[in-house]
Amino acid sequence: MSTAVPVPEYVRIRRAHRQFITPEGGVIHALDSVDLSIAQSEFITLLGPSGCGKTTLLKIVAGFEEIDSGDILLDGQSIIGKPAHKRPVNTVFQSYALFPHLSVGDNVGYGLDVAKVAKTERNRRVAEALEMVGLAGIEKRNPAQLSGGQQQRVALARAIINRPKLLLLDEPLSALDKNLRLKMQIELKNLQTELGICFIFVTHDQEEALTMSDRIVVLNGGKVQQVGTPDEIYHRPKNNFVASFIGESNIFTGKVVEQDQLGIQVDCGGLRIHSTDAEASLGQPMTLLLRPEQMSLTPPLDSQQLASLSMTLDQVVFIGSDYQLHGHLSNGFQLSALVRQHATPLAEGDQVELYYQPKAVHTIPESAVGSKP
């Protein structure tokens, strides 16, 4: 997938800065010169740990907070100073925020009632919105009679009934159980595709972000760490923080000591790790990322370029079709691997050979290492 932003651009955030003064007199930079462009029909996710700035950024776009400096443009027009109700933006909250004393139909049609839309038109659009989220015919029910997933869909119907150009979603699936959350992820992405409008989605769930997004914005400490497709974020992180935060990681640090037919060799505390990912000069500091699933207990039959690591098993976890292997290398480095079932039973204390392809090892130059999560 291309990293180019689809056109036309709809949201443009320019050097947005927002800070807060703590009770102790310190300063927290919730947003630190954030720059971001979002396309008109893009599903983009803001992802990061607690306090990274993702919810603050969402609130600023929605109009619930203002930035201290910078600019935010929607469809080419600055919205700085414009109140939330005058922005072509709707928000779906984590709590759903349904009115308990109103029926489902009245909840969904509330915005139309405020706008004094004719009753016939209002009812038609309410029915259309509910059908779009798979809840046709439940207009007369109360929110208390609905499941969590149904309440979530009602909140979505209420948000999309006016066909906003931008929909903001603040961790709307976090209160659902795992199976329903997985189902809603697919439905929400399908709905966004059908509507053809921009979704900005906030989550702390990495799997959710990787599943649903056209692009992911990884934030930490109020700064954008990386913007890219799920594949780019996972397989080609730009710095140590992204590599450590997204998925399971084996991260090695060392210096380039040799170049050979497999690429470069990096000495990591007495171990040689091979990579074809970068050209580097001898002695250059280097950080390497090797994902657990990129190792195997048997050499792939179709590969001529292989390297391996010898690991002593400390823990073997069976998870159905795979094993999670946790152990240590000869220099004490803790390593994790995810491998398919093995014919020979594996046990703690066993020494195993783990094969990997040097092209699977992603390199991060020392200048881009950054901080760990």
Side-chain angles (χ1 to χ4, degrees):
M1 187 180 293
S2 173
T3 61
V5 177
V7 292
E9 175 186 83
Y10 183 65
V11 182
R12 180 71 173 96
I13 300 169
R14 294 177 176 166
R15 301 189 62 79
H17 191 90
R18 181 71 167 120
Q19 66 182 38
F20 299 97
I21 306 300
T22 68
E24 300 79 19
V27 177
I28 296 176
H29 297 280
L31 297 178
D32 192 353
S33 297
V34 170
D35 278 294
L36 186 61
S37 294
I38 304 173
Q40 192 169 21
S41 59
E42 189 172 21
F43 193 120
I44 195 160
T45 297
L46 307 181
L47 177 67
S50 297
C52 71
K54 55 186 185 293
T55 297
T56 298
L57 182 57
L58 197 78
K59 289 180 177 179
I60 286 172
V61 175
F64 302 136
E65 288 188 18
E66 292 293 340
I67 52 177
D68 299 316
S69 61
D71 199 1
I72 297 179
L73 294 88
L74 294 185
D75 204 15
Q77 301 295 317
S78 177
I79 57 172
I80 298 300
K82 182 178 289 188
H85 67 278
K86 291 188 176 181
R87 300 183 182 190
V89 176
N90 277 345
T91 305
V92 179
F93 300 98
Q94 182 177 351
S95 62
Y96 312 151
L98 300 179
F99 299 116
H101 61 286
L102 297 181
S103 67
V104 167
D106 288 342
N107 264 283
V108 175
Y110 180 79
L112 301 182
D113 293 336
V114 171
K116 300 187 184 306
V117 174
K119 185 176 182 180
T120 302
E121 174 67 10
R122 178 259 195 203
N123 291 343
R124 183 191 68 79
R125 290 169 64 178
V126 167
E128 180 185 65
L130 285 172
E131 183 175 3
M132 191 170 292
V133 297
L135 293 178
I138 69 164
E139 287 89 340
K140 294 182 179 180
R141 294 190 195 178
N142 292 321
Q145 297 174 305
L146 306 179
S147 67
Q150 289 173 323
Q151 291 181 33
Q152 168 65 54
R153 295 183 194 188
V154 172
L156 282 169
R158 183 177 62 184
I160 65 176
I161 195 167
N162 285 326
R163 294 295 178 102
K165 292 184 178 180
L166 176 61
L167 188 62
L168 309 178
L169 303 104
D170 187 9
E171 302 200 46
L173 308 182
S174 61
L176 305 179
D177 62 67
K178 182 177 180 180
N179 289 338
L180 182 55
R181 189 166 68 248
L182 293 174
K183 181 180 179 182
M184 284 300 301
Q185 287 172 9
I186 296 171
E187 292 185 359
L188 193 58
K189 178 58 181 172
N190 289 339
L191 179 62
Q192 186 265 339
T193 301
E194 182 177 348
L195 292 172
I197 64 176
C198 178
F199 277 29
I200 301 180
F201 187 88
V202 165
T203 185
H204 63 275
D205 188 312
Q206 300 170 21
E207 184 177 345
E208 197 165 81
L210 294 169
T211 299
M212 303 173 69
S213 311
D214 295 321
R215 288 189 303 152
I216 298 172
V217 181
V218 183
L219 291 156
N220 188 43
K223 291 180 177 291
V224 174
Q225 302 294 315
Q226 185 172 351
V227 181
T229 66
D231 181 81
E232 290 167 341
I233 294 292
Y234 187 81
H235 290 293
R236 295 181 294 283
K238 285 188 175 180
N239 59 38
N240 191 298
F241 172 80
V242 178
S244 301
F245 182 72
I246 303 295
E248 293 288 329
S249 307
N250 294 300
I251 296 179
F252 305 86
T253 58
K255 292 184 178 181
V256 178
V257 292
E258 190 175 339
Q259 293 181 332
D260 57 21
Q261 70 275 11
L262 293 181
I264 61 172
Q265 292 187 32
V266 180
D267 184 276
C268 303
L271 288 172
R272 297 285 184 94
I273 308 296
H274 299 261
S275 177
T276 60
D277 189 54
E279 294 182 1
S281 57
L282 295 180
Q284 179 179 340
M286 191 70 67
T287 296
L288 307 172
L289 168 66
L290 180 60
R291 297 289 187 186
E293 68 273 14
Q294 292 168 329
M295 290 177 279
S296 63
L297 290 169
T298 56
L301 298 177
D302 59 348
S303 178
Q304 301 298 317
Q305 290 192 323
L306 280 177
S308 65
L309 294 167
S310 296
M311 179 174 75
T312 301
L313 296 177
D314 298 324
Q315 186 181 35
V316 179
V317 181
F318 179 60
I319 56 172
S321 60
D322 298 317
Y323 285 98
Q324 288 180 342
L325 306 182
H326 305 282
H328 61 275
L329 306 180
S330 60
N331 66 345
F333 182 89
Q334 297 295 309
L335 188 77
S336 295
L338 182 67
V339 300
R340 305 300 292 178
Q341 288 189 15
H342 196 248
T344 304
L346 300 170
E348 296 177 13
D350 288 349
Q351 186 165 341
V352 295
E353 198 74 12
L354 291 166
Y355 298 92
Y356 66 93
Q357 297 185 44
K359 66 180 182 181
V361 180
H362 177 64
T363 59
I364 303 172
E366 190 69 16
S367 59
V369 166
S371 59
K372 293 183 179 180

